[in-house]
Amino acid sequence: GAERSARAMGAEAADTAPGQQLRALFYALPPGESSFRTVEEVPDYVEKSIPFFITFIGLEFAVSWIQKHKLPGRINDGISSLSLGILSRIPDVLFRSIELISYIYVWNNYRLFELPWDSPWTWYLTLLGVDFAYYCFHRMSHEVNILWAAHQVHHSSEDYNLFTALRQSVLQKYTSWMFNLPMALFIPPSVFAVHLQFNLLYQFWIHTEVINKLGPLEWILNTPSHHRVHHGRNPYCIDKNYGGTLIIWDRIFGTFEAEDAKVVYGLTHPVNSFDPIMLQLRPLAHIWNMFWATPGFCNKLSVIFKGPGWGPGKPRLGLPEEIPVITGKEVPFDPHIPAYLSCYALVHFAIIVDLYTELLASVTMLSQGTVLLRIGFIILSLASFGLLLENKSKAGILEIIRCLVFIGLYKLGYFRSQFSFLGYAYEV
């Protein structure tokens, strides 16, 4: 029953006007416009916000050019962020949302009492509950090594722009769901499903440098200024500002830090890669190697469950003095490649985005074999683009193989563009 409800979400969802979608992006839909009796009625706010994502990214580019006479990011890092975003959503093509399925299961079998779905008090309580659960999960993701191995993907960019908001982990959702389960004892799934989306959408627009401080709102809300600190690798930025929508949790629990010195973005030990597969898996390989290299059973457990900076004889979260000093002369990883190769990667990435969105639209009508074939090709393509942007010596060979595979599968009818008039162009 839980899975049927989760599958039905969006199938019969209420239509939302563009104005409502825009306000949903800023958590500005009041209870009267965003309360639903059943999960099936809850709109897919995230999917319907995609046009606004694109619009705001274009607006960010324009404002950045006006303010600073430069673009807010780089082609290689932008493609990497979008590749990681696509990769993180691929499990949703095959499986339903574990967050919603688990929540509905607990609600159906273990709820203690039922708050009214149409009460504004329930709506506001859920806002606080979802955001507090996110704060707890987010903080744990920085303080527990095995959780950080997934979450660090989001911090791996050395740029900070709206593309960075889409840079997500494949694995993170398989641990975050458990933090929401206490609410399933009394908050209806339909109310939870709304706020789960709103909390995620709100965090999109705060990934930008073109918005400065927002006055009194800085005391209550998570803002671009606060979140820039969270993404910084300056010593004063480490493990600060975990809030999703609200910054009050950080102020209460002592993890708040205001933006001060110029923030340098990325990981304290940069990964120096645009390969989305490597970015997802290398931290797990590091934990695996460290686990076997560390003597003592208790120390081995500490490798998994203590902080990423921990080592034998160190405190749980490591030593602050071991955080690399920021000189202000840090240069982002940016291998030189010819301009034509950047254009090539950009054009072919656009083709993959087309194939991916077409897959999402038609997945229920495709055989499982065709779905797996398309997913496999998408993953191969994203990895190939990453190697091309790194100017790896074997990237050309892999790309030739990828293009031959594309031609073969396209001719056999396994791929289809959303735009039929582009068929011949794709073959060219």
Side-chain angles (χ1 to χ4, degrees), residues 9 39 42-43 45 100 126 188-198:
M9 179 183 177
V39 171
V42 177
Y45 290 105
L100 201 54
T126 310
S190 61
V191 185
F192 169 74
V194 168
H195 287 278
L196 187 66
Q197 294 186 78
F198 284 179

Side-chain angles (χ1 to χ4, degrees), residues 212-396:
N212 293 319
K213 300 203 173 184
L214 297 178
L217 295 178
E218 302 277 336
W219 285 95
I220 302 171
L221 298 177
N222 193 12
T223 64
S225 176
H226 295 331
H227 206 59
R228 285 193 289 268
V229 171
H230 180 71
H231 274 259
R233 55 181 161 126
N234 313 55
Y236 86 92
C237 298
I238 302 300
D239 296 340
K240 300 296 182 182
N241 299 1
Y242 295 114
T245 300
L246 303 173
I247 203 66
I248 59 174
W249 314 116
D250 291 284
R251 294 185 183 277
I252 292 171
F253 297 109
T255 53
F256 174 76
E257 190 70 45
E259 187 175 20
D260 187 9
K262 180 175 173 55
V263 178
V264 177
Y265 303 106
L267 301 169
T268 55
H269 298 87
V271 290
N272 292 340
S273 176
F274 299 121
D275 179 0
I277 309 301
M278 195 281 289
L279 287 168
Q280 296 279 358
L281 299 180
R282 194 173 80 166
L284 292 173
H286 173 72
I287 290 177
W288 175 264
N289 294 332
M290 191 174 175
F291 178 87
W292 291 111
T294 302
F297 179 73
C298 290
N299 284 337
K300 289 183 184 296
L301 290 179
S302 295
V303 168
I304 298 174
F305 296 110
K306 289 188 178 179
W310 178 86
K314 298 179 183 179
R316 181 175 68 89
L317 299 180
L319 297 169
E321 55 266 28
E322 291 184 352
I323 298 172
V325 176
I326 296 300
T327 65
K329 299 179 180 179
E330 288 74 18
V331 178
F333 176 65
D334 195 16
H336 176 72
I337 62 173
Y340 72 84
L341 193 55
S342 293
C343 292
Y344 173 90
L346 190 60
V347 169
H348 279 259
F349 180 78
I351 294 173
I352 293 301
V353 170
D354 175 30
L355 297 179
Y356 170 71
T357 51
E358 199 281 327
L359 171 63
L360 293 180
S362 60
V363 63
T364 56
M365 298 179 287
L366 301 173
S367 69
Q368 190 172 23
T370 301
V371 171
L372 292 174
L373 194 63
R374 291 191 183 188
I375 287 174
F377 180 76
I378 289 171
I379 294 173
L380 170 66
S381 299
L382 298 179
S384 181
F385 300 154
L387 295 179
L388 282 173
L389 295 171
E390 292 178 30
N391 206 13
K392 295 288 187 180
S393 58
K394 296 182 180 180

Side-chain angles (χ1 to χ4, degrees), residues 75-142:
I75 291 176
N76 47 22
D77 190 82
I79 290 177
S80 178
S81 291
L82 293 174
S83 296
L84 287 162
I86 290 173
L87 206 59
S88 72
R89 302 288 293 181
I90 280 178
D92 295 335
V93 176
L94 300 172
F95 314 106
R96 295 301 153 185
S97 167
I98 187 173
E99 292 172 309
L100 201 54
I101 288 175
S102 60
Y103 192 96
I104 293 173
Y105 177 82
V106 173
W107 168 262
N108 286 340
N109 294 280
Y110 300 106
R111 71 176 179 267
L112 302 177
F113 56 92
E114 183 173 340
L115 293 177
W117 66 269
D118 55 351
S119 169
W121 293 107
T122 303
W123 195 94
Y124 287 112
L125 178 64
T126 310
L127 184 158
L128 293 173
V130 168
D131 201 58
F132 180 63
Y134 178 82
Y135 171 86
C136 294
F137 163 70
H138 197 184
R139 183 169 179 175
M140 290 285 282
S141 294
H142 282 253

Side-chain angles (χ1 to χ4, degrees), residues 59-73 210:
L59 186 62
E60 181 187 37
F61 270 69
V63 173
S64 179
W65 185 260
I66 294 170
Q67 287 180 341
K68 306 175 183 179
H69 300 289
K70 69 174 185 178
L71 298 179
V210 302

